[in-house]
Amino acid sequence: MVHSDDFMLPAPGTIAGAWTMSLSERPDKQLLHADGVWTSCGDFLTRTAVVAGRLAGAGLVAGDRVLLSGPSSVDLAVAHVACLRSGLVVVPVNGGYTGPEIAHIVADSRPGAALVDHEGWEEILAGLSPGLLTTSTGVLLDDAPVPSLDAAAPDHPALIGYTSGTTGAPKGAVLSQENLLAGAESVRQAWHWTAEDRLLLCLPLFHMHGLGVGLHGTLLAGASAVLQQGFDPGSVLSEIVDHDCTMFFGVPTMYHRMVDEARVEALGNLRLCVSGSAPLSPLLHGRLQDMAGSTVLERYGMTETVMLVSNPYEGERRAGSVGFPLPGVELRLAEGTGEIQVRGPNVFGGYWQRPDADDEAFVEDAGGRWFRTGDLGSVDADGYLSIVGRAKELIITGGLNVHPREVDDVVAGHPGVAEVAVAGVRSEEWGEDVVAWIVPTPGLPAPDAEAIRGFARDNLAAHKLPRRVVIVDSLPRNALGKVLRHELREAVADG
Ligand code: MLC
Ligand code: AMP
């Protein structure tokens, strides 16, 4: 299945330039709401210029990486946009990461600055020499002359998103100004996103869903968003009503938690509810229709590609399917395996300083250079794509990715563990639970889940910690000694 059309990117072909044009057109319009206050498009743009001046005054120049992480706030959004307007490369980092996880990203991306706002991060980062360190995303530095803004070319790097790939430690997907623009513009068009829309945005602003779709799309459309820190079903539903929101984006775990709330009908009053980052079960899709009167639109994306495929805005939103390629996206299924392969202006060019990883991630043939998503797809008679499995060993829990080998490596260090293999097991709330199969060390007591979680907590973010431990005599392996994780999963499903 290949989909190609006359997808045109807005002038000037960069995400930063397109935002500036969109926001300058409507300076007095409300843009972002946080802490009870609205910030207008004009004030927001002015603040980005001030922060860009401060960063330039501190010696940062285009191409430098800036590690950015904090709870959702207007300050965080301003800092992000200021960086992109200055040609700096944002490295968003999950606020739940531990010291070793942050250290890997700092060592790999070598940022010129870290603008962070989380308890305990100052101490962690101070030992890692990340360049300039500010412990507020408000960037409280001395004012300095504003550098030339929006001067980056479309192919200049804009963002490095760290993602657990097929092997080893997380690697940085480098997205250009054009990749980010194409990613936001395709959903702006497909979902009829206009300046009149208002998004309830409670997804964190350090992953593609909240950042590359929620925030970037809002700025591009000149729309508005109500920011919430963290997810609370009750306050999402009440603020949707209080602020006359028109759209909500969430991961399936959020919908699972909202569907039984008394006020869930608030979702039915929205123009559009989108689900993504993990599969939305047809059962939950149906319950949302029954309880809230909302036909949720499911879409499919990745850190490396922003958004790829979406159910139609008009026309049937089919449960269990992710729909059709978005404008500009070309998609095919590899012969034999059914792996989803994609290309288009939204698809990243490669990993940060990892040519070995690029060789694995892309396939070049007469048809061009295609990115291998590692997801397996099938297309039905009407052209709807469904994701039917994963070629990669990824676990997705609550919309967050966990690479099993990263967890294996940490858990293997527990003295009571002789051998370990981690895999994802179906869970109604989380989509998948992280489960560890452990062969205990002879002569020592077998560790339980609490012991393993306690042991791994300093090295792994909370969402990666095994929720369950299964004690076994041996791990199933193939002739080459590789653990057969699917057999572990199936044993639990059967049992
Ligand atoms: C939190 N915990 C999780 C978890 N999130 N465990 C497994 N998986 C997760 N995703 C841990 C907590 O640390 C805590 O551990 C325990 O589970 C209970 O926490 P909670 O208070 O119930 O969780 P909460 O803070 O409400 O978070 C749940 C959530 C959050 C669903 C709101 O995980 C979330 O915002 N998910 C969305 C992530 C996202 O933006 N994904 C998009 C990636 S981009 P303890 O030990 O303290 O008890 C992408 C591309 C695309 O995938 O297509 O979009
Ligand atoms: P990330 O690397 O965090 O960007 O996660 C990307 C992965 O999330 C994809 O490769 C898919 O495996 C998964 N994903 C995203 N959206 C969906 C969806 N709607 N259904 C199933 N899986 C999804």
Side-chain angles (χ1 to χ4, degrees):
M1 172 173 62
V2 169
H3 176 97
S4 180
D5 52 27
D6 303 327
F7 180 57
M8 296 277 290
L9 289 176
T14 61
I15 189 85
W19 285 337
T20 300
M21 288 179 68
S22 166
L23 300 181
S24 313
E25 277 171 23
R26 32 183 87 82
D28 298 326
K29 192 173 164 291
Q30 293 172 333
L31 176 64
L32 294 179
H33 183 274
D35 298 325
V37 181
W38 277 103
T39 300
S40 69
C41 295
D43 284 350
F44 184 86
L45 263 187
T46 306
R47 286 176 61 181
T48 63
V50 170
V51 170
R54 291 177 184 173
L55 294 171
L60 290 157
V61 295
D64 284 349
R65 274 79 56 209
V66 175
L67 195 144
L68 190 59
S69 185
S72 293
S73 67
V74 176
D75 279 351
L76 181 68
V78 165
H80 177 73
V81 173
C83 287
L84 295 195
R85 296 193 70 194
S86 307
L88 297 164
V89 184
V90 174
V91 183
V93 178
N94 185 321
Y97 278 3
T98 60
E101 292 166 313
I102 299 166
H104 166 71
I105 294 175
V106 170
D108 195 63
S109 64
R110 288 171 284 104
L115 316 175
V116 298
D117 185 6
H118 300 293
E119 217 174 289
W121 280 42
E122 186 175 3
E123 295 73 30
I124 294 171
L125 282 160
L128 299 172
S129 324
L132 169 78
L133 172 61
T134 74
T135 52
S136 142
T137 47
V139 195
L140 304 172
L141 302 170
D142 290 339
D143 285 344
V146 179
S148 97
L149 296 174
D150 308 326
D155 63 348
H156 282 182
L159 184 146
I160 303 182
Y162 276 81
T163 172
S164 297
T166 45
T167 50
K171 42 193 194 283
V174 184
L175 289 127
S176 68
Q177 290 268 345
E178 180 182 79
N179 296 152
L180 295 181
L181 178 59
E185 175 64 8
S186 68
V187 293
R188 194 193 64 76
Q189 290 184 13
W191 299 343
H192 300 198
W193 202 338
T194 73
E196 305 314 311
D197 277 308
R198 177 161 296 168
L199 175 68
L200 191 296
L201 181 50
C202 62
L203 286 154
L205 298 183
F206 36 69
H207 288 301
M208 210 37 100
H209 198 162
L211 185 65
V213 191
L215 181 65
H216 290 189
T218 297
L219 297 170
L220 186 64
S224 59
V226 175
L227 297 181
Q228 287 194 348
Q229 295 186 358
F231 174 68
D232 175 70
S235 57
V236 165
L237 294 168
S238 58
E239 293 219 355
I240 280 176
V241 176
D242 294 349
H243 292 289
D244 294 322
C245 293
T246 63
M247 304 199 295
F248 175 78
F249 301 165
V251 297
T253 302
M254 294 176 175
Y255 287 105
H256 173 86
R257 289 185 183 178
M258 284 192 293
V259 72
D260 292 317
E261 287 281 320
R263 283 171 293 175
V264 70
E265 314 90 67
L267 292 181
N269 297 331
L270 298 175
R271 179 176 78 73
L272 180 64
C273 286
V274 176
S275 175
S277 308
L280 180 71
S281 79
L283 188 71
L284 184 52
H285 189 273
R287 291 197 66 219
L288 287 157
Q289 231 156 11
D290 294 345
M291 306 298 287
S294 173
T295 307
V296 173
L297 178 151
E298 185 171 7
R299 60 54 174 181
Y300 159 58
M302 285 182 83
T303 301
E304 288 93 333
T305 64
V306 200
M307 293 299 106
L308 290 168
V309 179
S310 169
N311 267 282
Y313 180 72
E314 282 154 345
E316 186 195 352
R317 300 175 190 169
R318 194 168 286 187
S321 154
V322 286
F324 303 94
L326 280 160
V329 175
E330 287 184 84
L331 185 149
R332 71 182 188 186
L333 299 182
E335 233 171 273
T337 61
E339 183 183 38
I340 300 167
Q341 301 183 346
V342 292
R343 62 180 188 177
N346 56 311
V347 177
F348 80 133
Y351 294 102
W352 174 250
Q353 299 182 341
R354 288 291 303 276
D356 57 319
D358 292 345
D359 289 345
E360 265 183 52
F362 290 92
V363 47
E364 287 206 56
D365 56 30
R369 185 172 184 255
W370 297 81
F371 173 58
R372 305 175 53 184
T373 62
D375 294 307
L376 307 179
S378 81
V379 176
D380 71 14
D382 300 325
Y384 282 80
L385 176 77
S386 293
I387 296 171
V388 295
R390 289 180 213 132
K392 52 196 178 192
E393 286 180 337
L394 192 67
I395 302 170
I396 306 184
T397 168
L400 289 172
N401 288 1
V402 179
H403 192 269
R405 276 188 244 178
E406 202 184 338
V407 184
D408 288 353
D409 289 348
V410 173
V411 174
H414 188 287
V417 173
E419 285 181 78
V420 58
V422 164
V425 170
R426 246 201 65 71
S427 145
E428 211 181 307
E429 178 175 9
W430 297 100
E432 286 179 295
D433 278 342
V434 177
V435 177
W437 281 261
I438 289 175
V439 179
T441 309
L444 289 181
D448 61 9
E450 206 182 325
I452 292 298
R453 288 169 69 82
F455 174 78
R457 199 172 281 281
D458 289 343
N459 292 282
L460 295 172
H463 69 273
K464 301 180 187 173
L465 298 174
R467 280 186 187 273
R468 282 160 60 194
V469 161
V470 182
I471 299 296
V472 288
D473 294 334
S474 63
L475 297 174
R477 293 179 186 274
N478 68 11
L480 300 172
K482 190 173 179 282
V483 175
L484 299 167
R485 293 183 205 265
H486 63 274
E487 286 199 6
L488 295 169
R489 274 199 300 267
E490 283 155 17
V492 165
D494 293 347

